[in-house]
Amino acid sequence: AQSVSQHNHHVILSEAASLELGCNYSYGGTVNLFWYVQYPGQHLQLLLKYFSGDPLVKGIKGFEAEFIKSKFSFNLRKPSVQWSDTAEYFCAVNGMDSNYQLIWGAGTKLIIKP
Amino acid sequence: SQTIHQWPATLVQPVGSPLSLECTVEGTSNPNLYWYRQAAGRGLQLLFYSVGIGQISSEVPQNLSASRPQDRQFILSSKKLLLSDSGFYLCAWSVGQWGETQYFGPGTRLLVL
């Protein structure tokens, strides 16, 4: 069965620090990969996604993620975080034989100290 | 543009009472529709999805059911709520087939007492 693992449940950083949130998945076939973000009091929304092509994907608000197929990873990065990046971040994977289903990680709560 | 509505936003219900949560989508036709439950520290659990009117797939056997009476309406129901049904319920939609982005509603927080 497919699964998604996010390594850190809680991350606390100071403003301007660099960020990397880990995401690993278990699935041997073709995948689509997503990072979603939920800001306090807001809807869950798409941050970025990888379908094919360049494994380095750029999303909104300066975020990027790199798909490393050999490591089954899709880590999220941002070189310099801001207080407004405080949110919960979810990694999700859709395997080619999973039809419409997204398999979700448990989420990482990110707190940025001003 | 497309929008998704869920109501109610918050609901407190006694154990054993029925449940009906509604989700509607505007601005798109023939969407795929989803019901999720979000538990703290556990991510999102897919409960039901639907690719068309009257077509419901259940992912987790439980006390809940779903229906899609109209193209852009998705309803989550229960005949008798359990304490364990408390949680945050999210509706989402997508278009197309495999792998398309899902768009989420604001959610309903359900507390069963």
Side-chain angles (χ1 to χ4, degrees), chain A residues 32 36 49 51 94-95 101, chain B residues 38 43 59 98-99 101-102 104:
Chain A
N32 293 337
Y36 280 82
K49 63 185 179 184
F51 278 18
N94 180 296
Q101 296 186 47
Chain B
Q38 184 179 10
E59 293 305 309
W98 173 61
T101 302
Q102 294 182 15
F104 287 82

Side-chain angles (χ1 to χ4, degrees), chain A residues 30-32 34 36 38 43-44 46 49 51 88 90 94-96 99-102 104-106, chain B residues 32 34 36 38 41-44 46 49 51 59 88 96-102 104-106:
Chain A
T30 302
V31 292
N32 293 337
F34 303 81
Y36 280 82
Q38 190 168 29
H43 299 200
L44 195 63
L46 181 70
K49 63 185 179 184
F51 278 18
E88 190 161 15
F90 295 91
N94 180 296
M96 194 170 186
N99 204 1
Y100 301 94
Q101 296 186 47
L102 281 177
W104 294 80
Chain B
N32 304 315
Y34 311 81
Y36 287 93
Q38 184 179 10
R42 298 179 63 184
L44 275 69
L46 180 64
Y49 69 91
V51 301
E59 293 305 309
F88 190 56
Q97 295 190 5
W98 173 61
E100 292 302 323
T101 302
Q102 294 182 15
F104 287 82

Side-chain angles (χ1 to χ4, degrees), chain A residues 78-93:
Chain A
K78 186 171 183 179
S80 177
V81 294
Q82 301 171 311
W83 176 78
S84 58
D85 294 324
T86 295
E88 190 161 15
Y89 294 80
F90 295 91
C91 181
V93 174

